[in-house]
Amino acid sequence: MPAHPPRGRRATERKGDVRERAILDTCEALLADKGYEAMTVGDIAQGAGITRGALYFYFGSKQEVVTALVARTVQHLWERSRATAASDDPRRAVAAAMRRTVELWNEHGLVMRTAIDLSLTVPEIGDLWRHTADLFIAAITAVLERAGVRPGTGPDQAAAMARALCWMIERSFYHASQESRDSLRRASATCEHIWLISAGLTP
């Protein structure tokens, strides 16, 4: 997706790419171990096997590291979901998009919840999350229109329904992912059912 890198990041050779990946992987592990507020730049650098000075070559702050981690995660989410949502069969598109979304929430639910929690206080993360939501709203709109829902922004038209579905899925997954994989699976099944009803694809 077209996301601008945080301040301080530079184009580097392959060794730099490996280090950057190590920084982001360490950040994700520390989110689980300590949480956003407690972890420090020093913690991230130590976990990645580099000095604080070396970390600042890639990122200017802890906030920038987390923003880059969120960007990487939502990029994976979009890559997994966009092709399946483009299927000519709306029912298959819904099922596949939900399945891919569940997979990523199972793998990176903590990052996704952190993005949601920080989206109101960290402008870069808020912009990134809203941009990602807009991409999914457009994809859901296209599925609804292929299923016969009228185009437009009226309450019973595709764009407005897609926006409501997108934010419903986000909230449902946010809460369910804190409980268990089974809770997430059930929440996904419910959201998928509501999406199919909205598209007129249930018997």
Side-chain angles (χ1 to χ4, degrees):
M1 69 179 60
H4 297 291
R7 177 184 60 81
R9 295 177 65 189
R10 305 177 187 179
T12 58
E13 58 186 356
R14 186 173 180 81
K15 182 179 179 181
D17 295 337
V18 172
R19 281 186 172 177
E20 182 170 331
R21 185 166 62 250
I23 292 168
L24 298 184
D25 290 344
T26 298
C27 179
E28 184 164 3
L30 286 168
L31 283 175
D33 292 342
K34 291 190 171 187
Y36 175 75
E37 295 299 332
M39 74 176 180
T40 66
V41 168
D43 293 330
I44 299 170
Q46 182 179 9
I50 60 176
T51 65
R52 287 172 62 100
L55 186 144
Y56 284 126
F57 180 83
Y58 300 96
F59 302 98
S61 65
K62 176 180 75 172
Q63 181 175 302
E64 287 188 3
V65 178
V66 174
T67 300
L69 175 61
V70 171
R72 182 178 74 171
T73 304
V74 298
Q75 175 70 24
H76 291 166
L77 174 61
W78 178 241
E79 287 174 352
R80 290 188 186 191
S81 300
R82 63 180 174 181
T84 55
S87 169
D88 289 335
D89 181 342
R91 187 185 296 276
R92 183 175 300 171
V94 171
M98 295 300 296
R99 184 171 63 254
R100 299 291 185 236
T101 304
V102 168
E103 288 173 359
L104 198 72
W105 273 85
N106 277 328
E107 295 168 14
H108 303 289
L110 181 58
V111 178
M112 309 284 270
R113 292 195 301 273
T114 299
I116 294 168
D117 291 340
L118 295 178
S119 63
L120 295 178
T121 57
V122 179
E124 294 84 359
I125 292 178
D127 290 345
L128 180 61
W129 198 251
R130 284 188 294 274
H131 174 67
T132 304
D134 286 342
L135 292 174
F136 278 94
I137 289 166
I140 295 171
T141 299
V143 173
L144 292 174
E145 290 179 355
R146 287 199 300 274
V149 178
R150 285 191 302 150
T153 58
D156 60 344
Q157 295 173 339
M161 292 170 65
R163 182 169 296 277
L165 285 166
C166 178
W167 293 116
M168 175 197 70
I169 292 168
E170 186 225 58
R171 284 286 96 186
S172 297
F173 279 37
Y174 178 94
H175 291 290
S177 68
Q178 297 179 75
E179 298 173 3
S180 67
R181 291 195 170 204
D182 190 55
S183 294
L184 189 60
R185 180 190 58 77
R186 292 197 305 271
S188 174
T190 299
C191 290
E192 181 177 337
H193 181 64
I194 293 171
W195 189 350
L196 291 171
I197 290 175
S198 301
L201 296 174
T202 54

